Amino acid sequence: MGRAPCCDKANVKKGPWSPEEDSKLKEYIEKYGTGGNWIALPQKAGLKRCGKSCRLRWLNYLRPNIKHGEFTDEEDRIICSLFASIGSRWSIIAAQLPGRTDNDIKNYWNTKLKKKLMAMTAQSQRKPPPFPSSHHTPPVSSQSLSSLYKDCSTSYCGTPNRSFTAFEPMSSVQSDLLNNSNTTNFATNSSLIHTPQSLVSHMQYYPVKENFLMFGSEPSCSSSDGSCSQISYGREIKQEDMSFQGFGASTGYEDNHKFMLDYGTNNGGANVNQWTEKPSGYYGECSLDYDLEDVKRLISSSSTNNCCNNNNNNNNNNQTASVI
DNA sequence: AAAACGTGCAACCGCCAAATG
DNA sequence: TCATTTGGCGGTTGCACGTTT
């Protein structure tokens, strides 16, 4: 049996939203909220729209604190850094840019930033780098990425028994993670970030589970659909896992510890991106040293490096990384 | 002035996974 | 356990508008 449509397509309006529709939707949501049911909302609000359409309209355009307009250099850097790290996970990237929606960022990347970087690369190399048609796979070879990929363990630990970071490959920690009672949960209950193939082989298994190394997001979501992406890298933290430094073992690890990419400069004035916990406390940091130059190098190197450095036996053509 | 072309962005589509009954 | 519903996400499309020829 096929899947039922989310709405009666024959009786829903499509296309651009009129100011009247906008105000209806806005007024309704401000008055009653979404009620946790987008499908039923348009009828209640007197709109002849698909629930999904209402949801998108609200989250991408109508909800408060949406930021429109030019992206700053700082935002460029963050986007590039995260794209180089996790690929086209726009909702995650958006979570680091308050007020920006994933749709905005996606559009910005596809229409401007990518071209900008390509132009810069072409200029430096005098040849245009090939760029995959699919945005999902960043043009990053595992080898080149490894040159950028920072093991942040030193940020966490002086003499770590074990440490890993948001950008540490699971391959180096997965045995620890998997060899415990939580293995099943980890393997079956956690979603896995769709990991670009070029990254899978070398560095990334990024299991998603709550309460661990979250990409934080404000209650007002920056995802285009306000999904409040809270992506965590690794399985759920247990008390015994806090034996390594950098995670505040003594205080335990509580829910809702979220990490945000904190862009700024270090004492030397150099630009750094740091993973900082929010809203309170501090459990460590991870410097993301990607900048535009790095991304340019990533792009350019993709034309010369074979991106299929396959150290991973599970490597296949599926873009979705999987463990086990 | 008008057609052709390029660009940016809002919106839609379809897939996936979680939730629910 | 399975079918169905719903929310979430990323890719793609189509249109409006600006620029070029």
Side-chain angles (χ1 to χ4, degrees):
Chain A
M1 178 184 290
R3 180 183 158 168
C6 66
C7 54
D8 181 2
K9 292 185 186 295
N11 292 319
V12 297
K13 185 184 170 191
K14 292 168 76 173
W17 281 64
S18 68
E20 292 76 22
E21 288 177 308
D22 280 347
S23 61
K24 267 189 182 179
L25 180 62
K26 199 159 185 279
E27 281 175 24
Y28 182 87
I29 292 179
E30 285 173 350
K31 203 169 179 180
Y32 304 106
T34 66
N37 188 345
W38 285 106
I39 301 301
L41 189 146
Q43 196 176 7
K44 293 177 182 173
L47 290 163
K48 290 187 175 181
R49 288 278 181 174
C50 174
K52 275 190 168 187
S53 181
C54 293
R55 175 176 163 272
L56 235 55
R57 184 62 180 172
W58 170 255
L59 297 165
N60 277 339
Y61 194 80
L62 296 175
R63 70 185 164 91
N65 303 322
I66 293 284
K67 193 194 292 181
H68 290 111
E70 287 292 302
F71 280 71
T72 65
D73 289 345
E74 179 181 328
E75 287 172 318
D76 281 0
R77 274 177 54 85
I78 293 172
I79 293 168
C80 290
S81 294
L82 289 173
F83 188 89
S85 304
I86 62 176
S88 57
R89 309 309 306 274
W90 305 117
S91 60
I92 298 172
I93 295 171
Q96 306 307 321
L97 300 173
R100 299 291 188 185
T101 69
D102 54 5
N103 209 34
D104 260 354
I105 294 169
K106 180 171 57 182
N107 282 334
Y108 179 59
W109 173 266
N110 286 333
T111 61
K112 291 182 183 174
L113 200 49
K114 188 171 76 177
K115 290 173 186 171
K116 188 173 161 184
L117 293 170
M118 288 175 72
M120 293 163 82
T121 302
Q123 191 176 16
S124 63
Q125 292 205 342
R126 297 291 179 226
K127 63 177 182 180
F131 220 103
S133 58
S134 167
H135 305 312
H136 198 88
T137 304
V140 180
S141 73
S142 58
Q143 190 177 357
S144 63
L145 190 75
S146 68
S147 68
L148 295 171
Y149 164 53
K150 309 295 183 184
D151 180 352
C152 303
S153 59
T154 52
S155 298
Y156 286 130
C157 314
T159 54
N161 288 330
R162 50 183 297 194
S163 70
F164 58 93
T165 73
F167 291 89
E168 180 174 0
M170 275 293 297
S171 57
S172 66
V173 297
Q174 61 186 356
S175 58
D176 275 356
L177 296 179
L178 297 177
N179 291 332
N180 60 51
S181 59
N182 223 23
T183 298
T184 301
N185 285 341
F186 170 71
T188 61
N189 291 351
S190 62
S191 305
L192 290 166
I193 290 178
H194 294 277
T195 307
Q197 181 64 23
S198 60
L199 306 184
V200 170
S201 63
H202 191 78
M203 60 174 285
Q204 290 189 338
Y205 282 124
Y206 287 156
V208 180
K209 190 82 173 72
E210 289 182 356
N211 306 333
F212 177 52
L213 273 182
M214 292 176 175
F215 284 90
S217 62
E218 298 291 350
S220 60
C221 311
S222 54
S223 169
S224 72
D225 41 18
S227 52
C228 297
S229 300
Q230 293 177 342
I231 302 304
S232 55
Y233 285 170
R235 63 163 171 77
E236 188 173 2
I237 289 287
K238 285 189 168 184
Q239 192 68 34
E240 61 265 30
D241 294 320
M242 307 312 295
S243 58
F244 62 96
Q245 298 178 32
F247 275 91
S250 62
T251 58
Y253 197 86
E254 300 169 359
D255 287 348
N256 301 321
H257 281 127
K258 300 169 184 178
F259 289 76
M260 64 178 292
L261 185 63
D262 179 25
Y263 175 86
T265 55
N266 62 17
N267 291 337
N271 291 329
V272 295
N273 292 325
Q274 296 178 324
W275 290 100
T276 49
E277 192 232 11
K278 56 184 294 188
S280 62
Y282 177 77
Y283 288 90
E285 68 183 49
C286 178
S287 172
L288 279 175
D289 289 338
Y290 310 123
D291 58 16
L292 288 176
E293 290 302 313
D294 292 332
V295 178
K296 283 165 55 183
R297 285 198 297 275
L298 290 176
I299 293 173
S300 61
S301 64
S302 71
S303 63
T304 54
N305 290 330
N306 179 349
C307 68
C308 300
N309 176 20
N310 189 349
N311 294 324
N312 173 16
N313 291 334
N314 291 331
N315 201 359
N316 54 37
N317 291 328
N318 193 334
Q319 287 188 331
T320 301
S322 60
V323 176
I324 310 292

